[in-house]
Amino acid sequence: MDGDTRGLGSRVMDGLGRPPRRLLVLGGGAAALALLVDRGLRLDVPPPPPPVPTRRPAPDEALLLSAVADLERVVAAETSVLAGDDGGALVRRLRTVNREQLRVLRGRLTNAGVPRSVIDAAVAAGPTPSAGARATGTPAPTGPGTSTAAARPVRTRKALAALLDSLGPDDWAALTTATTDTRELLAAAYGQRLAGAVLLGREVAVSSPSPARPEVVARTEPLVYAFEVVAAQSSGDQRSTAEETLAALVRLQISVSGTSSTTPAGWALPFPVTTPDAALRLATETLSSAVDAGTEVAGPQPNAASLEDVARWSANVQALAVDWDVPLTAFPGATA
């Protein structure tokens, strides 16, 4: 009996002390898997995808996107006016110039690596509510779910002129943060935009005096003197147009300096003017030179006040130049 008991105990202990062969195999596999995982090999999940590269914004990207969105609205407004009975050759010309501005600004963005989808999204977002309010003369919609699409549509030349003259302090301040090329490009475009408002019959008065005002005055005085000569040496319709331009330049001179014009000391005509043909040449060349001088007049590091001051002065000069076959251009005076 005792022998049997010891035999049974021995057999039980043998069973407990020696695991089955199947458990030995499983245990060895787990150890090997642990070793592989410890050495960086993952057998149970695929490797993670590489990180998506982030795009670095282009220089002045936000400012240019805002300008493109605003220009799209301007072009749409011009198209709307042309579709009615209040359009005409002038609005068609303005739309052509503004489309050229759009082409250049969009190209500037895409050349800098900005995806077209980003540009289209900015256009779809539209101008800010404050810009819409300034353009239509009515309060902008507010509250959840509202958008600028609710603004009153532009259908008349008068409303279009108001839209063109809707640039505000924030627009000029934003230009001062831009790189030199972008600032010059947009400042020139803004001057042309204001010129369109003048040509549509809106008064675009010069702003408060800025650091650029002395240079503005210095550029206006020779224009007045030149047109005194042009009027004196012209005849017929050319003389009538010269007298109208001279009167407008005198008003501009008074608005920028507070006094009537006097002949600048030491200023001379660029060539002899004794015939109507020479007078026409003088009118065209002096106005063209003034139109192209916007960037130079504003100075190398203009503040917001100077940029607006020069653009408003230039707008009035550009509008007068049209009567002398100096056409509107997309970026007058800009070389960027």
Side-chain angles (χ1 to χ4, degrees):
M1 187 70 164
D2 290 340
D4 291 343
T5 301
R6 283 194 302 271
L8 177 61
S10 177
R11 288 194 297 275
V12 170
M13 290 303 295
D14 288 344
L16 293 176
R18 292 191 297 274
R21 181 176 298 176
R22 183 168 50 190
L23 293 178
L24 285 173
V25 173
L26 291 175
L33 179 61
L35 179 61
L36 291 174
V37 170
D38 183 60
R39 295 192 176 185
L41 181 62
R42 295 292 302 273
L43 303 178
D44 54 339
V45 294
V52 178
T54 56
R55 183 180 65 84
R56 178 177 296 179
D60 308 315
E61 179 175 327
L63 178 59
L64 288 169
L65 287 173
S66 177
V68 166
D70 206 19
L71 265 173
E72 288 282 4
R73 182 170 189 239
V74 168
V75 170
E78 290 162 345
T79 300
S80 178
V81 173
L82 286 169
D85 297 328
D86 204 17
L90 173 58
V91 176
R92 190 171 292 106
R93 175 58 184 163
L94 292 176
R95 186 176 65 171
T96 298
V97 171
N98 293 146
R99 281 176 168 172
E100 174 64 13
Q101 290 174 348
L102 270 175
R103 186 190 67 80
V104 171
L105 296 183
R106 279 179 170 271
R108 197 176 186 89
L109 285 165
T110 55
N111 288 343
V114 180
R116 293 184 184 276
S117 59
V118 172
I119 302 173
D120 293 341
V123 171
T128 63
S130 60
R134 290 196 307 271
T136 61
T138 59
T142 58
T146 58
S147 70
T148 55
R152 182 186 304 169
V154 175
R155 301 189 186 282
T156 66
R157 290 163 64 103
K158 182 177 180 180
L160 176 58
L163 173 61
L164 295 175
D165 189 22
S166 64
L167 296 165
D170 291 346
D171 298 302
W172 303 109
L175 284 188
T176 65
T177 68
T179 59
T180 299
D181 286 353
T182 298
R183 184 186 70 238
E184 292 181 358
L185 202 66
L186 290 181
Y190 288 174
Q192 180 280 320
R193 172 174 172 162
L194 292 172
V198 175
L199 289 168
L200 288 169
R202 186 176 178 90
E203 181 180 358
V204 177
V206 294
S207 54
S208 300
S210 73
R213 182 58 62 86
E215 185 65 20
V216 169
V217 174
R219 294 281 180 164
T220 309
E221 288 176 342
L223 283 173
V224 173
Y225 175 64
F227 269 86
E228 289 175 348
V229 176
V230 172
Q233 297 298 328
S234 297
S235 59
D237 291 342
Q238 181 173 300
R239 183 183 183 92
S240 297
T241 303
E243 290 174 344
E244 293 173 1
T245 303
L246 175 60
L249 286 170
V250 169
R251 291 193 296 271
L252 182 61
Q253 167 67 20
I254 294 172
S255 67
V256 299
S257 67
T259 61
S260 59
S261 174
T262 57
T263 302
W267 196 84
L269 295 176
F271 49 82
V273 181
T274 58
T275 65
D277 287 344
L280 176 60
R281 178 187 169 195
L282 179 64
T284 301
E285 291 189 5
T286 53
L287 286 170
S288 295
S289 178
V291 167
D292 290 340
T295 299
E296 187 178 343
V297 173
Q301 293 181 321
N303 61 14
S306 291
L307 289 168
E308 182 176 9
D309 197 12
V310 172
R312 287 180 170 272
W313 169 80
S314 179
N316 284 279
V317 174
Q318 289 178 60
L320 292 173
V322 170
D323 288 337
W324 296 91
D325 295 329
V326 178
L328 292 173
T329 58
F331 304 99
T335 58

